[in-house]
Amino acid sequence: MRALCWNGVDDLRVETVPDPVLVNPRDAILRVSLSTTCGSDLHLINGYIPTMRAGDVIGHEFMGVVEEVGPEVKKVRKGDRVVVPSFICCGSCFYCASGKWSLCDNTNPNEEMQEPLLGGSTAGIYGYTHAFGGYAGSHAEYIRVPFADVDCFQVPDGVTDEQALFLSDAAPTGFMGADFCNIQRGQVVAVWGCGGVGLMAQKSAFLLGAERVIAIDRFPERLAMAQTHVGSETIDYTKVDSVVDQLQEMTGGRGPDACIDAVGMEAHGTGIGHAYDTVKQALRLETDRGSALREAIMAVRKGGVLSVLGVYGMMDKFPLGVLINKGITVRTAQQHGQAYVPRLLEYTAAGKLDASFLVTHRMPLEDAARGYAIFEKKQEGCVRSVFVPGASATPHA
Ligand SMILES: NC(=O)c1ccc[n+]([C@@H]2O[C@H](COP(=O)([O-])OP(=O)(O)OC[C@H]3O[C@@H](n4cnc5c(N)ncnc54)[C@H](O)[C@@H]3O)[C@@H](O)[C@H]2O)c1
Ligand SMILES: [Zn+2]
Ligand SMILES: [Zn+2]
């Protein structure tokens, strides 16, 4: 089959690789209908997350049609149209049973690669590094889904492929981030980042009862999406002296009740702090550029919630003292998708959520390297490039 392979930093190519096969009796094989880019992929394309190997198939946000099931798969059938959360979960360990799905104890065969760094290990994830299990990803014609009965969610007839696609990763991540904020009626939530994750966090904050949502980014087309598709107020952080002061002004001097970081370790920024992070990250002395997270910590009101969705490694100058003195609750996780997908499918079927506006570019899988290039550089207004396996490549001049 054809698949998008990582061959080194900034070197992605669509190649022919072996078809996946059933390995365990509870596996299914899916024919991928749609697969899309995620900000988390940029960290590995740019070489900030180690343990990739040449030839790895990337991609973890996808939906498709079940092609084949193992003998112990009971609920899922050939022909089912399903969406699959990005973390692979067994459904029966201590963590899955308590709803902390991305912490599943049974799906990361390489936990010894994570334990020295984290003191524990995450679940496996599709199309990511070997420390996250080394599973083949979804930018391919077919994908193996372990624990199919746990991880495949049937898409109802009224929900389109493009709407279902983002319920794999961007939407449940954003929803979890808003859920962490314990939003009360009348509250104000600020969200750093207007990528797929940030936009979904903003939409979810409204679904969960926020009165106002304030979105922060620098790309005009993304800020416009936050306004028109979500109803957020916006701040272009390159146009104000201080985002923190601006937020104070917009909230009667108090600050937002909750702040969500949907940016992560490759934050763009201004000033001396950002210059310091950029140099240290380039020299691999620090893994993160933390300007958005530090700003969120300064901006959140006393006693408020900081919800961190952006992915980070080891950050310097993390202002723990600010969190302590302001009595901030910090909530964070990799997405617990299986906890949220049924509810998000219901919202979608009922017309309360339509994530398909994130599709700015739809192209054949053969063009996936170009799809990542424009996504990475935020060119042509790209928010998410969506790949269609099997479609023929676009001829280039
Ligand atoms: N926790 C999870 O399970 C999970 C799941 C998916 C993605 N993520 C993470 O969420 C983050 C966002 O993902 P995405 O797909 O939306 O990425 P994206 O690259 O499409 O969007 C990131 C946005 O952040 C903006 N940004 C950069 N610096 C900023 C700053 N200082 N202030 C405000 N905005 C700033 C960028 O302009 C961009 O629009 C990434 O770190 C990704 O790894 C986490
Ligand atoms: Zn992702
Ligand atoms: Zn489990």
Side-chain angles (χ1 to χ4, degrees), residues 4-299:
L4 181 68
C5 299
W6 182 97
N7 286 302
V9 172
D10 265 330
D11 183 359
L12 299 175
R13 273 174 262 158
V14 178
E15 294 170 359
T16 299
V17 302
D19 286 357
V21 291
L22 297 172
V23 175
N24 293 311
R26 285 188 275 171
D27 290 353
I29 303 292
L30 239 67
R31 182 160 44 78
V32 177
S33 305
L34 298 175
S35 183
T36 185
T37 54
C38 171
S40 300
D41 298 326
L42 301 179
H43 315 321
L44 47 95
I45 291 170
N46 295 334
Y48 294 125
I49 300 197
T51 74
M52 288 296 286
R53 293 181 194 153
D56 284 346
V57 176
I58 67 167
H60 59 262
E61 183 159 18
F62 63 103
M63 57 84 56
V65 176
V66 177
E67 183 78 11
E68 193 184 354
V69 296
E72 286 177 27
V73 175
K74 306 265 187 294
K75 295 195 305 215
V76 173
R77 299 215 157 80
K78 182 175 160 82
D80 285 354
R81 193 167 65 104
V82 297
V83 58
V84 180
S86 51
F87 280 88
I88 304 167
C89 301
C90 80
S92 47
C93 72
F94 169 82
Y95 293 103
C96 287
S98 57
K100 303 280 187 267
W101 296 87
S102 65
L103 305 177
C104 175
D105 253 346
N106 283 331
T107 56
N108 187 347
N110 299 332
E111 57 187 14
E112 75 287 353
M113 294 169 89
Q114 284 192 343
E115 269 167 7
L117 289 170
L118 304 182
S121 66
T122 67
I125 181 171
Y126 300 99
Y128 222 65
T129 64
H130 286 262
F132 282 85
Y135 290 88
S138 61
H139 298 331
E141 290 175 87
Y142 298 94
I143 185 167
R144 177 173 79 94
V145 176
F147 301 104
D149 281 336
V150 177
D151 294 344
C152 291
F153 293 83
Q154 291 260 7
V155 179
D157 283 346
V159 174
T160 66
D161 284 1
E162 287 191 354
Q163 288 173 324
L165 170 63
F166 300 103
L167 307 196
S168 165
D169 193 89
T173 303
F175 196 86
M176 179 184 76
D179 193 26
F180 281 166
C181 297
N182 189 22
I183 297 168
Q184 309 295 310
R185 293 227 158 268
Q187 287 196 327
V188 183
V189 178
V191 180
W192 276 254
C194 294
V197 173
L199 290 164
M200 287 296 112
Q202 294 162 34
K203 177 72 192 169
S204 304
F206 278 124
L207 285 169
L208 290 170
E211 171 99 10
R212 294 169 62 202
V213 175
I214 305 172
I216 302 135
D217 206 302
R218 78 178 193 281
F219 292 102
E221 61 279 6
R222 290 183 175 220
L223 291 167
M225 273 190 166
Q227 287 170 6
T228 54
H229 289 280
V230 183
S232 303
E233 299 160 56
T234 57
I235 299 176
D236 176 341
Y237 65 83
T238 61
K239 300 262 165 69
V240 293
D241 287 338
S242 157
V243 170
V244 177
D245 289 351
Q246 183 72 20
L247 284 167
Q248 289 270 331
E249 210 164 286
M250 293 168 83
T251 54
R254 192 190 272 172
D257 299 289
C259 288
I260 302 178
D261 172 328
V263 175
M265 62 167 74
E266 295 182 60
H268 169 265
T270 49
I272 187 78
H274 180 67
Y276 167 93
D277 285 341
T278 305
V279 171
K280 280 198 88 172
Q281 192 183 47
L283 296 173
R284 302 293 190 264
L285 294 172
E286 166 184 47
T287 55
D288 302 335
R289 302 199 299 259
S291 38
L293 183 58
R294 291 193 198 104
E295 223 165 62
I297 291 171
M298 289 306 289

